[in-house]
Amino acid sequence: MRLEVDIASKTFKNAAGEQHDVIAGVAFALDAGEVGVFVGPSGCGKSTMLRILTGLDPDFQGRVSRPAGARIGFVFQEPRLLPWRSVEENVRLAAPLADEAKLSALFEILELNAHRNHFPGELSLGLARRVALARAFAVEPAFLILDEPLASLDVALAARMRDQIAMLMDNRSMITLLVTHDVDDAVRLGDRLFLLSPRPARVLAELPICTPRGERGDAEIAAIKSDVMRRINGDLPERESS
């Protein structure tokens, strides 16, 4: 199972008829079990890229090859829960055939068992984000997209949820694509990091991380983060791969 992406260009016209370049060259491939992370500045075209990858935007130059018939799990920047449905109902609407034992285990990992009958209006942002994660994992996706899943959370809560996401990913063989502004999240969760330029987006550097997530020590994480920040703040005229 493999995802192959080669987006040569993506443009759009605004209401005034002016053409804007959004993507100028994003090419990569991910295999099952790999976690690819895209790190780039706000407004660089990450959300546009995700719409292309899911087939929601076919108007681009290039090619995207997804596994045939693959289920897609998507965690959006906002939880996007139905306010008139309970936590469990929100999850089961996406995965009506979910096995009860697997669903209970998922709720246990994400600390949601005590909130199964609560409604979104009764939840904190952190809990709502956990429900969004549960919904995405419950469909047992072959291709999982996480779009800023930890945004706007305090440092301690984000770290706790990051560990929960890592645990869930490690128990599943799927292609995972994470979009984030947070270099710490990228380095702790990713297997391969893709650094994007400002709009129009292109891949400035591709950085593989060979050490498994659970075996990365603080010194190695700090060194990788330092390398990523150097590349982000530097001037990289050509795509690099280490």
Side-chain angles (χ1 to χ4, degrees):
M1 187 169 62
R2 185 175 174 85
L3 171 71
E4 296 180 351
V5 176
D6 185 0
I7 304 173
S9 68
K10 166 64 182 178
T11 63
F12 74 90
K13 288 186 178 181
N14 62 18
E18 299 168 328
Q19 181 168 297
H20 295 268
D21 297 325
V22 184
I23 297 175
V26 173
F28 66 95
L30 289 173
D31 293 311
E34 282 193 298
V35 180
V37 184
F38 277 85
V39 181
S42 296
C44 74
K46 298 188 296 295
S47 294
T48 298
M49 179 186 69
L50 295 183
R51 289 196 297 270
I52 291 173
L53 297 187
T54 55
L56 297 175
D57 185 352
D59 184 20
F60 69 97
Q61 298 297 315
R63 181 180 67 89
V64 173
S65 176
R66 293 184 300 274
R71 289 188 297 275
I72 298 176
F74 204 134
V75 176
F76 300 92
Q77 291 185 23
E78 299 299 328
R80 297 190 183 182
L81 305 176
L82 297 179
W84 58 90
R85 298 280 189 171
S86 69
V87 165
E88 181 159 356
E89 288 170 341
N90 266 279
V91 174
R92 286 196 177 276
L93 279 172
L97 302 180
D99 178 81
E100 176 59 34
K102 291 182 179 179
L103 195 61
S104 292
L106 184 59
F107 283 159
E108 180 69 27
I109 291 172
L110 292 170
E111 303 176 50
L112 288 173
N113 272 328
H115 304 281
R116 292 174 79 138
N117 295 320
H118 290 172
F119 287 82
E122 302 173 289
L123 305 178
S124 65
L125 177 60
L127 285 170
R129 288 198 179 281
R130 285 190 173 100
V131 179
L133 286 166
R135 181 176 57 192
F137 278 101
V139 303
E140 298 188 355
F143 180 24
L144 175 66
I145 296 175
L146 304 171
D147 187 6
E148 297 279 4
L150 305 177
S152 304
L153 301 179
D154 65 65
V155 174
L157 179 56
R160 188 184 186 106
M161 287 183 61
R162 185 176 58 228
D163 290 343
Q164 293 167 341
I165 291 172
M167 184 184 304
L168 291 170
M169 291 192 305
D170 287 342
N171 292 331
R172 291 163 172 81
S173 178
M174 60 191 176
I175 299 165
T176 303
L177 187 61
L178 167 66
V179 169
T180 182
H181 292 91
D182 192 304
V183 175
D184 195 52
D185 291 341
V187 172
R188 292 179 184 276
L189 289 175
D191 298 311
R192 288 163 60 201
L193 311 185
F194 301 93
L195 309 185
L196 295 178
S197 70
R199 181 181 288 191
R202 60 190 180 92
V203 177
L204 294 176
E206 177 182 334
L207 308 176
I209 303 178
C210 298
T211 306
R213 269 182 297 279
E215 299 175 16
R216 294 172 198 168
D218 291 340
E220 181 177 11
I221 289 172
I224 298 172
K225 287 172 62 177
S226 178
D227 185 28
V228 170
M229 294 307 299
R230 177 183 63 81
R231 292 168 183 267
I232 289 175
N233 296 324
D235 183 14
L236 299 176
E238 301 291 339
R239 173 168 176 168
E240 296 184 5
S241 180
S242 298

